[in-house]
Amino acid sequence: MATPELSFISEILETEISSLEPFGSGHIHQTFKLMSATGDAYVLQKINQEVFENVPLLQNNIEKVLEHIAKQKNDSDAMLSMLTLSNGRSFYMENNAYWRVFNFISD
């Protein structure tokens, strides 16, 4: 799996990137663990458009599920969240590919 170009990632997160490496062994999306220069960790995913043709609808559904879970959660629980990117959305298109970023929750 090729590591994506860092310049657009820094731009959409509005932070400098210290590292980016393949993460996990998923079969649908290309997934990377990203570390910011400030030490924050994220999961960057290139969304598979052959599986999910309507990415805006996919992202809208995930946002609704995460909002529902957030209403139910205990404050002490780790909570998955998608970042709002520099374009004001939860996904970004670069070179005809869609990308999204989640917070990283360690084991």
Side-chain angles (χ1 to χ4, degrees):
M1 173 184 339
T3 301
E5 170 62 39
L6 291 177
S7 61
F8 91 89
I9 299 166
S10 292
E11 182 181 315
I12 64 173
L13 286 177
E14 299 176 327
T15 189
E16 292 200 27
I17 307 304
S18 63
S19 69
L20 181 69
E21 52 192 54
F23 183 75
S25 58
H27 298 288
I28 298 174
H29 306 295
Q30 291 182 22
T31 304
F32 304 87
K33 183 176 180 185
L34 181 153
M35 294 297 295
S36 74
T38 60
D40 295 318
Y42 303 98
V43 173
L44 171 71
Q45 284 190 318
K46 180 179 179 185
I47 300 170
N48 185 333
Q49 291 173 255
E50 291 181 19
V51 176
F52 297 101
E53 294 176 6
N54 188 337
V55 172
L57 180 62
L58 167 70
Q59 291 298 104
N60 185 56
N61 287 341
I62 293 172
E63 290 168 12
K64 287 180 180 178
V65 168
L66 291 175
E67 287 173 16
H68 176 75
I69 292 170
K71 291 177 185 174
Q72 310 299 317
K73 79 171 195 78
N74 183 341
D75 286 336
S76 64
D77 295 339
M79 175 68 190
L80 180 67
S81 63
M82 277 191 297
L83 275 63
T84 300
L85 305 174
S86 62
N87 63 358
R89 303 188 81 175
S90 65
F91 59 94
Y92 188 87
M93 181 177 249
E94 176 73 16
N95 296 326
N96 295 317
Y98 285 99
W99 297 85
R100 64 183 173 199
V101 181
F102 294 95
N103 61 315
F104 181 83
I105 300 173
S106 60
D107 294 339

